[in-house]
Amino acid sequence: MSLNGSGGWANGVPSIEARELVKRFGTFVANDHVSLQAYAGKVLAVVGENGAGKSTLMNMLSGLLQPDDGEIRLNGRPVRFKSPRDGIEAGIGMVHQHFMLIPPLTVAENVVLGHEPSKGFFDRPAAERKVAELSEAFGLKLDPRHRVQSLSVGLQQRVEILKILYWGSEILIFDEPTAVLTPQETRELFVVLRGLSQQGKTIIFITHKLKEVMEISDHITVLRAGKVVGQLETASTSAQEIASKMIGRDVLPEVHKEPPSFGELALVVRALSIQSDLETMAVRNIDLEIRAGEILGIAGVEGNGQSELVDTLIGLRPASSGTVELRGKSLLVGSSGLKTAPARIREAGVACVPEDRRERGLVLQYTVADNLILGMQDDALFSQAGVLNRGKIRAWAQTLVKQFDVRPRRSDVPVGTLSGGNQQKVVLAREFSENPDLLIAAQPTRGLDIGAAQFVHERLVEKRDTGTAILLVSAELDEIFALSDRIAVIYEGQIMGVFPASSVNEEEVGLLMTGGSTHAAEQSIDLSAPALTQGT
Amino acid sequence: MSAFSDSGLWTTLANASLYQSTLREATPLSLAAVGAVISERSGVVNIAMEGMMLTGAFFAVFADVHLHNAALGLVAAMAAGGIMAGIHGYSAVWLRANQIVSGMAINLLALGLTSYLAFSVYGTNGPPVPCVPPVPCSGNQVRTIPDWSIPGLNGIPGIGKVFFQQNPIFYLMLVLVILIQIFLFRTTLGLRVRAAGEHPRAADTAGIHVLRLRFLSVLPSGILSGLAGGYLALAISGTFSDNMTSGRGFIALAAMIFGKWNPFGAFGACLLFGFGQALYDNLQNTTGPLQDYSTLVATLPYVLTIVALAGFIGKAVPPAADGIPYDPASNA
């Protein structure tokens, strides 16, 4: 690999260069002869799907991991990092996807950690002064004395950025920095990044959001399955081209979807109210109906009662009042509050792809096979008299792994070692295999790359077509519109309206989601009310 | 209560010697507990104080008798505790062993090893006995560490005897508690120790050598536990006997948790537990019904602890990465 491959303006020596880097974890090759170049004053975007090896590559560049083969060069000179200390010394700073911050410590303590100003004792005033100066200089407003645990995610990221600036880093690596940010925070971050770039810093920006790539980067390195599959200049490429390189085929912008064939009523929710943890009303007196073979999308900004609603439907949270029926059978019975045990609800035919797959969907330390039978372990198929039948479980798991394209195609590895997209495939495989009457999918593509998201979408539509009622909860309007047959908008625990998907547009729904102007809301309800009646 | 009014409880509670022995009992507990605070703050769970203390006690007596010097006995105690901590640190930090299992192994090893050594060294003649100063000490007697009486202050009514007639190790312990509090919360190294215990990868990415730091943090825990054992052997009993620490290491562990992984907090808890032990000892020496209940009365501080931990002082939250081995090469 030579320098010449990277394009016209990049005639200078790259400030950092990877040459043929190889990294293996056991038999898995995370990086397979990966090369890239980044230049001072430019923003390099490194794009690729989850599991393409982006983070591994960056961890090697920053010294956290050591390559098995290949070479890293700084300004043309080969370097070898044995630990992050060496990377920091060499001027490389990384803002990690999962922040490297210590929540109980203050902003100042986090920033100076490892390089503390000291007069024998920790010189706190000096640390706070320096951090205040830095945050002033780079437009990252922060109070050095606040504890990190009390900060919003956006502000925590500022602390991370301040930290690497405090180190005097010239090469700044951002590992999926926008994954956790609101659109507003993302815009602010981009302003900061442009400023840093203009000051001559080298910026490496990892993402799988193509819109951001086009907006912020100067050049692009595309990774797929641990290999570099493209080095592009942003000015002369398109999101389409990047996407096709990323997933190895052209993007299918829309999920192919036949018109729904509605069956009988599956889920009927009447006058349901649910309390939040703070004992305020999270869900207020809502009515919902879903028919077999239909996807009902609940659109809403997060925190408007969706999570509580899902919890109640799967038996994790009692309702305050109201009724929930699945195929005519009540799901809300019980002596202590309106709640049924989750196991009973599963038996009744409800499956759920939970919002937080790592927390609720999977036991990360368990193997893929064990995760695939969670909740079904007492099924005669998998155990006899409480003794697991390993052979049958393995065979079952292998089938599902193949069917759901889980990679690596193995059922005996801990599920936590899989990429996010493949973890979600495992959850999907398990929940689908129960053949539920009602499938709840909460934020089913959160954090997934295009390929995995599309896979999930296709499977959900397939499931709908086999006659399952699907309740989709998503904060992403694109997703709501791509999948839903009908859309219910939730705002502050109330359903603002239910519309056939074809009768509303994103703007109208967006307005309702944010509590919108009542006039517009009324109008859109008026417009769609007749269609709704016809639809149901 | 009135039935007990003349039973010796009030006399016992009003007697300065109860509080003097409270501090006496609290001394070894505090040494072990504040040492463990450093280890656990760095992310290494240490349940091996009992074993480290016991090892310290044996080697204190052994060195003291052979070298005819109590100070060298204490040095040997600290070294022995430090070595045990080194074993725990090596397996827990570098080999990433389960820290509970490693700690338990240290405890069992110490119990067996010291019994064996004590029998093979002193088996035939019996354990060495303390040397009582006016009589010249013979070769195989233990040079004990006598209490200090601070002239002028020890005469203050009430508190004089409690605070100014104590063992030098008691005063050393007080200084150490303060120093460790300052170390953890006012020095750069202390900041790094806490970072390593909360989020080792964050510390690692900030350029801190987490494994080395953790290993080094386990050592003071062993050294101070060893010193606690030396105190028991040379200042309290003047001899070594099998399992003579009788659970003090575990009480120190409980005190450390009760004190929320904070040196001052741990010290406070040790005072409470020391009071329980002192109360028991003092009631044993009374006559009347309370003597029969002395064991029960002495459990009071522990009962209070359970009640307190169960919700009255809030949850005791350990350092976030306490007990979790750190692997710098993992891709997490």
Side-chain angles (χ1 to χ4, degrees), chain A residues 267 288 290 296 298 309 313 438-442 469-473:
Chain A
L267 182 76
L288 285 175
I290 313 179
L296 175 72
I298 296 196
L309 173 62
L313 291 180
L438 172 70
L439 177 73
I440 299 167
I470 296 180
L471 178 69
L472 169 73
V473 177

Side-chain angles (χ1 to χ4, degrees), chain A residues 83-106:
Chain A
S83 72
R85 282 171 290 290
D86 299 343
I88 293 168
E89 290 293 306
I92 299 170
M94 177 152 161
V95 171
H96 293 261
Q97 191 177 358
H98 304 287
F99 297 150
M100 293 299 167
L101 296 173
I102 294 147
L105 301 187
T106 67

